[in-house]
Amino acid sequence: MPLHFLEPDWTRNPSLQRFLFATGVECSTPTIAGPNGTSRRIDQLDKTRHYENWRLDLALVVDLGARALRYGLPWYRVHLGPGRFDWEFPDQVMRAIRDLQIHPIVDLCHFGVPDWVGDFQNPDLPRHFAEYAGAVSSRYPWVRWFTPINEMYICAQFSAYEGWWNERLKSHRAFVTALKNMARASIEGMRAILASRADALFVLCESSERTHARGPDHVAEADMYNSRRFLSLDLLCGRQMSSEMYRYVRDNGMTEDEYAYFLRQRLTEHFILGQDYYAKNEWLVDDQGRRGVSGDVFGYYPIALQYARRYRLPIMHTETNSPHDPVSWLWRTWSNIRLLRNDGVPLLGMTWYSLTHQVDWDIVLREERDRVYPVGLFDLDRRITPVGVEYQKLIRSWRDTPLYPNGPLALAADLPASNESAPSEP
């Protein structure tokens, strides 16, 4: 039987009329190469010991004063096959989240699919994901905010172009196939949620990126990456691509009918644009044509502004961290957020990701070394870190910041969202 709760009256919750300070529980579950041609699941909820410490982790969120929590259910453990689910773990956690009055942004797919689904090349992915998304929404009808598929662009890049995760392919065609399957799955999943929760909101978390060219010979390559970074969001928003990107996806397997399907979508009134920004989100094509991390050449402000102008959606900053001087990075990020809001960008929240240290993210989960990546607000023994102390101070100091940078008191749930007049790439 579904686990039905009395629905919290979020519309009367004063905390949701203020800026949404948030954190997240790292929940990536990709598969990587195992011995003798096998695949091995890397589950960060297991690696960070969240399965055994979830009650304490939720208490830490409350202690921080964070209003919202990005929380990912482990799809591969919950959805055992078509029509088959194991709700034991999520039922316990979701009940506690509700009882603690934490505002959840439920993450449904974070870099991995159940073994029986296969990988992101599977054309049946949209059907299977829609069944799962609809089941989650029906079981927890009080949840309104969801991230359907996290960072689709990054997932397709690492799974089907770099060859690190899941299908471990390395081609433009595999990249486009993964991306179009995830985009369609996300749309079908959102429609399944809307069938039971017509006022649902979707935080579309995506990597906010920029590629720079060291010399004139590599400007065209950098420009290609700077166009390609928008593909996942363009598909979800039903936004026409540039002629260059249209040729790119058509040359690599997207049919005219598939493209037309995305152009017909009109779901943007439910969208909040989630922006994930790290120093490693900026890239440099060097004199040898190699693309590597450049560090924060521009910083968050100008890159966020490019996405804001393109999509004309409410924005939530949904991820950042730094292993190097994280306290300084926290305050730099907050200063950029304040500047964006002062310039009228409807930026509604900030997220330090993640609640605890992570494992093996220094090598992007490509191998299983079990090495702690020290970027959390708490370490893996659940002791607060210096950046955790500073984030707690920041929240306490700025907790009365209005949700809107300008305008009347209002709820994020009621924000209008439209890209009907979105401008072309700046």
Side-chain angles (χ1 to χ4, degrees), residues 3 22 104 141 172 185 194 247 259 274 322 400 406:
L3 186 67
H172 290 288
L194 290 168
R247 289 195 302 272
Y259 182 60
S322 176
D400 291 330
N406 295 298

Side-chain angles (χ1 to χ4, degrees), residues 103-120:
H103 181 65
I105 303 170
V106 175
D107 195 335
L108 295 174
C109 176
H110 205 111
F111 298 146
V113 302
D115 290 342
W116 61 271
V117 173
D119 54 44
F120 295 104

Side-chain angles (χ1 to χ4, degrees), residues 165-390:
W165 297 344
N166 302 306
E167 53 261 47
R168 301 191 295 280
L169 299 176
K170 297 183 179 182
S171 72
H172 290 288
R173 179 169 287 266
F175 169 82
V176 170
T177 299
L179 196 64
K180 72 181 183 182
N181 286 345
M182 278 189 276
R184 186 156 193 156
S186 187
I187 288 169
E188 295 303 316
M190 288 187 286
R191 291 197 177 282
I193 291 169
L194 290 168
S196 61
R197 180 85 204 220
D199 62 347
L201 290 169
F202 304 110
V203 184
L204 307 180
C205 299
E206 189 55 276
S207 176
S208 296
E209 301 202 345
R210 181 74 186 187
T211 299
H212 312 283
R214 183 179 293 278
D217 291 343
H218 299 291
V219 169
E221 184 177 1
D223 287 346
M224 184 279 294
Y225 280 111
N226 287 328
S227 295
R228 200 172 81 163
R229 63 182 166 154
F230 294 125
L231 281 179
S232 59
L233 293 170
D234 283 357
L235 292 173
L236 291 184
C237 293
R239 190 182 193 279
Q240 288 193 346
M241 300 177 186
S242 67
S243 58
E244 176 192 21
M245 283 297 102
Y246 179 73
R247 289 195 302 272
Y248 173 76
V249 297
R250 293 286 280 115
D251 289 346
N252 288 287
M254 183 178 288
T255 68
E256 186 175 348
D257 286 345
E258 287 172 330
Y259 182 60
Y261 164 86
F262 292 112
L263 290 183
R264 290 195 300 269
Q265 302 310 311
R266 294 291 182 271
L267 295 175
T268 51
E269 65 179 317
H270 297 276
F271 289 174
I272 294 172
L273 178 60
Q275 294 188 323
D276 301 349
Y277 178 78
Y278 302 85
K280 60 188 177 183
N281 283 33
E282 295 190 54
W283 303 85
L284 179 68
V285 182
D286 66 19
D287 293 336
Q288 284 72 49
R290 297 170 300 197
R291 185 172 179 252
V293 173
S294 67
D296 54 324
V297 176
F298 282 2
Y300 178 55
Y301 177 94
I303 295 175
L305 200 57
Q306 290 176 350
Y307 284 78
R309 287 173 173 168
R310 185 179 184 90
Y311 295 106
R312 303 289 185 178
L313 291 170
I315 291 170
M316 182 171 179
H317 171 279
T318 42
E319 282 189 28
T320 201
N321 65 48
S322 176
H324 310 296
D325 197 2
V327 171
S328 175
W329 185 256
L330 170 71
W331 287 102
R332 288 169 64 188
T333 300
W334 176 237
S335 296
N336 276 260
I337 286 171
R338 290 193 62 227
L339 184 59
L340 285 159
R341 285 170 56 88
N342 288 344
D343 287 346
V345 176
L347 201 162
L348 312 175
M350 172 186 178
T351 310
W352 186 271
Y353 199 86
S354 52
L355 180 70
T356 67
H357 288 344
Q358 302 166 4
V359 178
D360 289 335
W361 261 108
D362 57 323
I363 52 169
V364 200
L365 307 184
R366 286 176 289 177
E367 299 175 19
E368 191 172 19
R369 298 180 183 175
D370 291 327
R371 185 163 62 192
V372 175
Y373 188 49
V375 295
L377 301 169
F378 297 85
D379 65 23
L380 293 183
D381 292 320
R382 274 53 186 182
R383 296 172 300 202
I384 197 165
T385 62
V387 72
V389 171
E390 288 300 308

Side-chain angles (χ1 to χ4, degrees), residues 15-90:
S15 70
L16 296 184
Q17 299 172 16
R18 303 287 96 185
F19 188 83
L20 291 175
F21 288 104
T23 185
V25 174
E26 165 53 16
C27 57
S28 302
T29 60
T31 58
I32 63 171
N36 303 317
T38 61
S39 293
R40 180 171 178 79
R41 177 81 60 181
I42 302 296
D43 183 344
Q44 287 286 296
L45 295 175
D46 176 45
K47 293 290 186 181
T48 61
R49 303 197 298 274
H50 176 72
Y51 288 125
E52 60 194 84
N53 290 297
W54 64 265
R55 292 179 179 83
L56 176 56
D57 289 347
L58 296 182
L60 296 178
V61 174
V62 175
D63 288 344
L64 276 173
R67 290 191 167 102
L69 177 68
R70 290 194 61 198
Y71 192 82
L73 302 179
W75 183 15
Y76 83 99
R77 287 177 49 143
V78 176
H79 198 181
L80 305 181
R84 297 172 51 228
F85 300 92
D86 180 353
W87 298 108
E88 181 179 0
F89 175 73

